[in-house]
Structures are given as structure tokens and as C-alpha cells.
Amino acid sequence: DFTEMMRALGYPRLISMENFHTPNFVLVSEVLLWLVKRYEPQTDIPPDVETEQDRVFFIKAVAQFMATKAHIKLNTKKLYQADGYAVKELLKVTSVLYGAMNTKGVERADVSEEDSSKFKFDLGSKIADLKAARQLASEITSKGASLYDLLGKEVELREARTESIARPLEINEAEKMMKVAIDCVLEQVQKTKDMLNNVALDEANLEAKIEKRKLELERSQKRLQTLQSVRPAFMDEYEKIEEQLQKQYSSYLEKFRNLTYMEQLLDDHRRTEQEMFEEAANMLRLMQNRLKEEEQQLLKSGSKWD
């Protein structure tokens, strides 16, 4: 718990989590400055937090100090919020201090500010020394392992070394080996020179091709400009044909509209004739029915008179 750790470390004020329910930058700055002093009492960080610029500078200075001295990465945005998220960042520092205090056997629940000065120490330098010691120990281990392997091969190597030393030096054989080595080196040098010459030839060929392409591009651009500036011979005829086509199209549209109108009139006329024909047929049917009824009535009346 953050409050318990701060109390165990000897912070002079009582702190509870309720103090961080709302942003409390003054308290956060006091805690940060006190923790920095616990790490290194000679640290000179300005405690001014009156303006926004002062607060930003203070947070950046504390974060930089913790990163360089204690190798603790703090989130400056959360610290600037000065709320519950800032407590999580403060807990990173207090947990390291609390763990270091426990390893040294310092276990006091409520220590005054005067007594807490007894337990101030430069933890940043201790951590740096610890990392250097670990790295040195790993290097010593690896070097010792390689040395052990080499010493294990010493028996075989001693015999080969003694035999080589005892062997008489043959100048002719050494001269042959030197000549072979020199020939190999000269051959490699010649290959390198040939490669350089080939590169120079390739470069010259590429430059010639580039120059040729540039000339072709210039000719093409000039030809394009000429074609754009010269009026083709068929343009007059083309414009005349275009005018005639426009007239023909206008005439076509007019005739098409007339034809459509005439077809509509014809359809209307046919529809009217059909309606008149149907109406006449209905009238004729009605007259036939009426005549039949009259004839039947006459027949009935004639039968009554008989």
C-alpha cells in the first residue's frame, strides 16, 4: 500500500488515498521532492510549482532524475494529473525505496523527519554499481569458461607446437608457399581490376544510352510541338462535314418528334373509333332487346283478345 510504504519510509505527513480523489498537485510535488531527496540528498531540483511552466519543468526534472539515477521510468502525463493515476507512478519509486530499506533491516513504522535522515543513502549509485558488477561477473564467467576449454586442449596443442618447433625450417618449401600466396593475392587483385574496368565500361555504356534517350526525347517533344502548332489539311473538310451532320441531326430530331406526334394522334383516333363502335354496338343491342320485349308484349296482348 502506498500510504503504508510512505509511513514506513518516514514521510512526515499523514497521507490517505482520499487526498488523491481530486487533483492535488501540491501534495504530489511534495512527495516527489521528498522521494528525490531520499535518493540523493544533494539533488538540486527547484520546488516552484506556482505556474504551469514551473509544474511542467518540475515533473520533467524529476522524471529525468529517476530515469538516469534510479533507472525508473515515470509517466509524466499521469504525474501531472496528480490523482489516483499519479499514485501508481509514485508507487514505482516508493516500492524500490521500501525494498531497499527492508534489505538493510530498517523497519520502523512511524519515523520523524529528524530520524529519517539517518537512513538517507545514494541508491542511484548503488544500483549503477550493482549493474556494473553483474556485467563484470557475466564477463568473468564467460572468459573463465573459454579459458577452461583452451586449457583442456593444451595437451594436444603442446605436442603439435613442440613438433613444429623441432622441425627444421625448409627455406625452399617456405618460398614455394609464399609464392603461391603471392600468386593468389595477385590473381585476386587482377580480378578486382577487371571488375573495376567492367564497371567503368558499363558506366560509359549507360551514359551513352542515357544521352541517346535524351536526344530521342527532345526530338519527340519538338515533333509534338510541331504537330500541335500545325493545322491538319483535312480540318476544313472535317468542320464542313460536322456542320452538315449537325443539320442532319436537327432534321432527324424534328422528323422524329413529328412522327411520334402523328403516331400518338393515330392511336387516339383509333381509340376514339373503337369507343364509338362499341357504343353503337351497345345501342344496337339495347334496341334489339327493346324490340323483342315489345314483340313479346304484342303477342301476349293478341292471345288475350283471342
Side-chain angles (χ1 to χ4, degrees), residues 155-197:
V155 178
E156 299 176 0
L157 295 176
R158 186 186 302 133
E159 295 178 358
R161 185 171 60 251
T162 304
E163 184 179 355
S164 298
I165 293 172
R167 183 187 304 171
L169 182 61
E170 297 180 359
I171 298 176
N172 294 329
E173 185 177 356
E175 186 178 358
K176 289 181 181 179
M177 293 179 65
M178 290 296 293
K179 286 183 178 180
V180 171
I182 291 170
D183 292 338
C184 291
V185 172
L186 292 175
E187 185 178 358
Q188 291 180 358
V189 171
Q190 187 62 34
K191 287 182 179 179
T192 305
K193 288 182 179 180
D194 294 338
M195 291 175 64
L196 291 174
N197 293 329

Side-chain angles (χ1 to χ4, degrees), residues 18-58:
E18 295 179 356
N19 298 125
F20 300 99
H21 285 173
T22 58
N24 192 350
F25 193 86
V26 176
L27 180 58
V28 171
S29 62
E30 290 180 1
V31 172
L32 282 173
L33 190 60
W34 187 81
L35 292 173
V36 169
K37 293 294 184 181
R38 287 299 303 269
Y39 267 105
E40 189 172 343
Q42 304 300 326
T43 304
D44 186 13
I45 294 179
D48 298 332
V49 291
E50 296 296 332
T51 63
E52 182 179 355
Q53 294 180 354
D54 294 338
R55 294 181 179 183
V56 172
F57 180 77
F58 176 77

Side-chain angles (χ1 to χ4, degrees), residues 55-71:
R55 294 181 179 183
V56 172
F57 180 77
F58 176 77
I59 293 295
K60 287 184 177 180
V62 172
Q64 185 177 3
F65 172 81
M66 288 298 175
T68 55
K69 296 294 184 180
H71 302 283

Side-chain angles (χ1 to χ4, degrees), residues 101-160:
M101 185 183 68
N102 288 335
T103 55
K104 286 197 171 186
V106 181
E107 298 178 354
R108 300 180 63 180
D110 191 9
V111 184
S112 62
E113 187 174 1
E114 292 81 4
D115 295 335
S116 64
S117 61
K118 299 178 181 179
F119 305 108
K120 293 180 180 179
F121 52 90
D122 188 3
L123 188 60
S125 60
K126 298 294 183 182
I127 293 176
D129 294 341
L130 180 60
K131 291 183 67 176
R134 287 179 179 176
Q135 185 177 1
L136 184 60
S138 62
E139 291 180 359
I140 291 173
T141 304
S142 61
K143 296 293 184 182
S146 61
L147 181 60
Y148 179 78
D149 294 336
L150 293 174
L151 289 175
K153 298 177 181 179
E154 175 62 20
V155 178
E156 299 176 0
L157 295 176
R158 186 186 302 133
E159 295 178 358

Side-chain angles (χ1 to χ4, degrees), residues 231-248:
R231 180 181 175 85
F234 59 85
M235 283 300 296
D236 296 335
E237 185 179 0
Y238 172 78
E239 291 177 355
K240 290 180 181 179
I241 294 174
E242 188 177 9
E243 291 179 0
Q244 294 177 2
L245 181 62
Q246 186 67 30
K247 292 179 181 179
Q248 292 292 333

